[in-house]
């Protein structure tokens, strides 16, 4: 197969697995409603298959297409056994301007997809570390000669990083049948478009379409989003699954639907298999979530999700994979000011993420929902602390990573933005009606 | 369906074609796409690596004497990318193939 059919085939399997996981829940729904869950299905399928193939690699199985097919079948079979009540709330786009907004959003997503399939990742970590690791998992499995620093073989850099992104892109290369680094951007573009579809689907009924559509359009217009797609950057899938987890957990706090809680835990599980920093970030988010709602179900779901980091941590421990956590320095507080300057510089730069973050903060305050600031705030705290206690030269690490490690902060703020806007507008509604009653304009 | 409904989408597409905008959309609308090989940080033609047909698990070493650390890093990464079936070793004496970088070209030297 060539690039497009190969990547499309892998993602068709992901979508199939995702729909199998949703099958019982969608049984009595119309075909158009089932189609609207495609974004959620892709994220579910990619997350489930990638995670299972990664766990199989830890157990000694090479990450081949055959192994992926077995994992896909297992996930689909498990999905056919469980069903959850989907929260159903009616909402209908109300005017042609709104349809235009959805049209522009769709057009940008199409352009983003085309751009993904036509570009090779500009970040050297993508083709120099992430993809080679995936190819090694295919040909050699999780072989300690390559995945643990030693004096004999040349091992990969950042050996402590989990391998979901390497596994998924390796499956793409295998399906394409030829080494083509564009699979990384193509896969990332598909995940990003699926993310837009998933967020719209999940917000449907909780937020008016005329509120969430412009919010999603704002994110879609961010130059940095598509630049990261074309970079093959692992921080972006991490951000997608962290944001999915946060959004569905916040929705669960309103709906108390098991589906939302499980999807929140699922997003966290996948995020934990993508990058090392997911563990402290999700632990911080779990603490915030439990402190906000004090519900035992969230405690159990968070602990179960965090436990999914254990297989990789155990493999690292068993094979003496070096970790930087033993080499941290809390004494150098002089690293904090440049960190804050750089991180906030990227978060607030309108040429990168437009006004997503400032608008999120302003709406949280205007809508009197400051507690929602704690979600992105918890991730921000982890990012700042990570730079503070790291030992590498501060200017170098900030210049080479600050622009991308903020992705989970931005995407989390972006998915909470529509909820805040809806809350703000609902608060204004009775105020307008009261004014009308007393004859004020 | 009103034509005005699709006006914003048409405007976005038109913007993508503005040649001086240098945005990602122009990159895909008006220029050639990237190829299947990485964009290396240094001049490096990976064709010999792509065409190499070495046995599985063959030990190899990458060498870029006199080249910048960036070139050495790119060659090492290219080896791990294209020679994924083989095994990179650190000791020159154990390598059965030496992958060498010479002025942007990749050449192979057999052991001995």
């Amino acid at each position: 197969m060539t690039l497009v059919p190969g990547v499309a085939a892998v993602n068709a399997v992901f979508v199939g697995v995702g729909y199998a996981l949703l099958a019982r829940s969608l049984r009595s729904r119309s075909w158009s409603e089932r189609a609207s869950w495609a974004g959620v299905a892709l994220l579910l399928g990619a997350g489930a298959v990638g995670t299972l193939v990664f766990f199989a690699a830890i157990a000694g199985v090479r990450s081949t297409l055959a192994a992926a097919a077995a994992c896909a079948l297992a996930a689909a079979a498990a999905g056919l056994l469980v069903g959850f009540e989907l929260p159903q709330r009616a909402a209908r786009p109300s005017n042609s301007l709104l349809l235009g907004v959805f049209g522009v959003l769709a057009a940008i997503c199409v352009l983003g997809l085309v751009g993904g399939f036509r570009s090779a990742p500009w970040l050297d970590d993508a083709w120099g570390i992430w993809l080679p690791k995936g190819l090694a998992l295919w040909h050699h499995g999780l072989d300690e000669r390559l995945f643990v620093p030693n004096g004999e073989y040349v091992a990969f850099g950042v050996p402590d990083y989990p391998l979901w992104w390497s596994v998924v892109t390796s499956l793409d290369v295998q399906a394409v049948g030829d080494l083509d680094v564009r699979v990384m951007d193509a896969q990332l573009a598909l995940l990003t478009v699926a993310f837009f579809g998933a967020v719209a689907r999940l917000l449907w009924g909780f937020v008016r379409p005329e509120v969430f559509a412009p919010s999603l359009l704002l994110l879609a217009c961010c130059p940095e989003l598509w630049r990261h797609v074309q970079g093959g950057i692992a921080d972006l899938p991490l951000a997608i699954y962290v944001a999915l987890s946060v959004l569905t957990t916040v929705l669960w706090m309103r709906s108390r639907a098991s589906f939302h809680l499980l999807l929140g835990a699922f997003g966290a599980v996948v995020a934990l298999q993508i990058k090392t920093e997911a563990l402290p970030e999700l632990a911080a988010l779990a603490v915030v979530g439990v402190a906000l709602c004090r519900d035992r179900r969230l405690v159990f779901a968070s602990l179960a999700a965090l436990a999914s980091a254990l297989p990789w941590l155990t493999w690292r421990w068993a094979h003496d994979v070096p970790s930087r956590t033993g080499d941290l320095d809390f004494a150098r507080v002089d690293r904090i000011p440049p960190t804050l300057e750089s991180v906030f510089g990227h978060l607030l730069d309108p040429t990168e993420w437009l006004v997503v973050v400032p608008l999120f903060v302003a709406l949280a305050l205007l809508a009197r929902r400051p507690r929602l600031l704690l979600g992105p705030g918890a991730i921000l705290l982890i990012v700042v602390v990570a730079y503070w206690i790291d030992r590498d030269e501060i200017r170098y690490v900030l210049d080479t990573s600050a622009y991308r490690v903020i992705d989970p902060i931005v995407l989390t703020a972006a998915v909470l933005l529509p909820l805040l806007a809806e809350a703000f507008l609902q608060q204004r509604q009775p105020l307008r009606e009261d004014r009308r009653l007393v004859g004020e304009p | 369906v009103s034509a005005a409904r699709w006006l914003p989408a048409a405007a976005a597409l038109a913007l993508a074609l503005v040649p001086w905008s240098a945005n990602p959309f122009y990159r895909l609308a008006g220029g050639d796409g990237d190829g299947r090989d990485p964009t290396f940080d240094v001049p490096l033609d990976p064709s010999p690596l792509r065409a190499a047909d070495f046995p599985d698990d063959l030990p190899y070493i990458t060498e870029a004497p006199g080249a910048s650390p960036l070139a050495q890093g790119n060659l090492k990464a290219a080896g791990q990318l294209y020679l994924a079936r083989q095994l990179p070793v650190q000791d020159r004496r154990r390598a059965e193939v030496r992958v060498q970088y010479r002025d942007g070209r990749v050449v192979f030297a057999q052991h001995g």
Side-chain angles (χ1 to χ4, degrees):
Chain A
M1 279 194 267
T2 53
L3 175 67
V4 177
V7 175
V10 169
N11 284 272
V13 172
F14 289 161
V15 171
V17 170
Y19 270 119
L21 290 165
L22 294 167
R24 284 170 67 100
S25 306
L26 289 173
R27 187 175 284 171
S28 57
R29 305 300 173 95
S30 68
W31 284 105
S32 61
E33 184 173 349
R34 289 180 197 188
S36 71
W37 286 88
V40 177
L42 176 52
L43 294 183
L44 276 174
V49 175
T51 299
L52 289 176
V53 175
F54 174 38
F55 285 171
I58 294 171
V61 179
R62 290 186 187 187
S63 304
T64 60
L65 284 180
C71 291
L73 283 174
L80 292 173
L81 297 176
V82 293
F84 298 97
E85 192 61 34
L86 295 180
Q88 191 172 23
R89 296 187 182 191
R92 186 167 286 277
S94 58
N95 58 47
S96 56
L97 180 64
L98 181 61
L99 287 174
V101 173
F102 276 121
V104 175
L105 185 59
I108 290 174
C109 285
V110 169
L111 290 169
L113 271 179
V114 176
F117 276 89
R118 280 171 57 97
S119 59
W122 51 260
L123 183 69
D124 49 9
D125 281 2
W127 55 261
I129 296 177
W130 291 98
L131 185 56
K133 281 183 176 180
L135 301 179
L137 288 173
W138 169 23
H139 295 300
H140 304 282
L142 191 52
D143 188 329
E144 63 179 352
R145 290 177 297 181
L146 299 173
F147 287 90
V148 182
N150 57 79
E152 208 171 330
Y153 294 89
V154 179
F156 292 111
V158 283
D160 54 332
Y161 274 20
L163 298 163
W164 181 92
W165 183 228
S166 298
V167 163
V168 170
T169 50
S170 163
L171 295 177
D172 285 323
V173 168
Q174 293 174 57
V176 168
D178 183 27
L179 177 58
D180 189 331
V181 296
R182 289 173 297 187
V183 299
M184 304 194 83
D185 294 356
Q187 184 61 58
L188 209 36
L190 282 163
L191 290 174
T192 303
V193 171
F195 176 68
F196 280 109
V199 173
R201 175 64 260 180
L202 292 165
L203 286 172
W204 198 270
F206 288 88
V207 177
R208 280 168 283 177
E210 50 268 46
V211 176
F212 75 69
S215 304
L216 291 180
L217 184 59
L218 176 67
L219 179 63
C221 288
C222 289
E224 199 67 357
L225 178 72
W226 300 105
R227 199 175 80 85
H228 287 199
V229 166
Q230 295 185 2
I233 290 174
D235 302 78
L236 190 53
L238 171 68
I240 284 172
Y241 281 100
V242 168
L244 180 73
S245 177
V246 170
L247 173 64
T248 44
T249 304
V250 170
L251 290 177
W252 171 78
M253 290 178 186
R254 295 177 177 200
S255 70
R256 298 291 165 169
S258 304
F259 172 77
H260 281 144
L261 186 62
L262 275 171
L263 198 50
F266 176 85
V269 167
V270 181
L272 286 164
Q273 317 313 323
I274 300 178
K275 288 197 81 185
T276 314
E277 58 261 42
L279 185 55
E281 289 177 357
L282 287 160
L285 285 168
V287 169
V288 167
V290 170
L292 288 181
C293 80
R294 296 179 185 280
D295 190 312
R296 246 186 301 178
R297 285 172 292 177
L298 185 58
V299 176
F300 292 136
S302 301
L303 289 176
L306 291 169
S308 71
L310 287 176
W312 178 238
L313 290 175
T314 305
W315 192 91
R316 281 172 49 187
W317 174 78
H319 292 83
D320 267 340
V321 174
S323 165
R324 282 177 294 177
T325 49
D327 191 32
L328 304 174
D329 184 356
F330 285 86
R332 294 188 293 168
V333 288
D334 58 315
R335 294 168 67 91
I336 295 176
T339 297
L340 293 175
E341 184 186 352
S342 178
V343 168
F344 277 100
H346 289 296
L347 286 173
L348 303 176
D349 186 344
T351 66
E352 294 184 23
W353 293 104
L354 300 180
V355 291
V356 170
V357 175
L359 188 59
F360 167 74
V361 174
L363 275 175
L365 298 176
L366 286 170
R368 298 195 292 278
R369 297 278 196 281
R371 295 193 314 177
L372 280 182
L373 291 171
L374 293 173
I379 308 173
L380 174 65
L381 180 68
I382 297 297
V383 167
V384 172
V385 171
Y387 282 122
W388 167 25
I389 62 181
D390 189 49
R391 279 186 174 273
D392 291 334
E393 201 277 312
I394 185 66
R395 202 62 261 168
Y396 171 76
V397 286
L398 286 172
D399 288 348
T400 53
S401 64
Y403 69 91
R404 55 188 164 86
V405 298
I406 60 166
D407 285 6
I409 304 172
V410 178
L411 263 60
T412 302
V415 297
L416 296 179
L417 195 59
L419 290 166
L420 289 172
E422 180 66 47
F424 176 67
L425 291 171
Q426 282 183 9
Q427 288 167 7
R428 301 284 296 170
Q429 195 68 31
L431 193 63
R432 276 203 298 274
E433 287 167 6
D434 290 348
R435 281 180 176 159
R436 205 177 303 134
L437 281 173
V438 296
E440 284 185 11
Chain B
V1 179
S2 154
R5 183 175 292 178
W6 301 106
L7 207 58
L13 284 169
L15 271 178
L17 298 172
V18 175
W20 59 86
S21 62
N23 58 43
F25 300 146
Y26 175 67
R27 189 174 170 204
L28 63 93
D32 290 334
D34 294 329
R36 58 186 179 158
D37 295 310
T39 309
F40 292 101
D41 304 309
V42 296
L44 195 159
D45 176 10
S47 323
L49 288 166
R50 187 179 279 281
D53 188 21
F54 299 127
D56 288 0
D57 294 341
L58 180 89
Y60 74 90
I61 191 166
T62 54
E63 297 176 331
S68 66
L70 197 57
Q72 292 175 17
N74 273 216
L75 182 67
K76 168 183 168 277
Q80 290 175 321
L81 185 66
Y82 292 99
L83 304 179
R85 289 177 182 275
Q86 288 74 43
L87 292 168
V89 292
Q90 297 189 24
D91 186 346
R92 197 169 194 259
R93 290 166 301 183
R94 286 204 56 211
E96 293 187 25
V97 167
R98 297 197 301 275
V99 180
Q100 297 176 330
Y101 178 81
R102 293 179 190 160
D103 300 326
R105 289 183 308 116
V106 173
V107 294
F108 299 121
Q110 301 291 325
H111 180 67

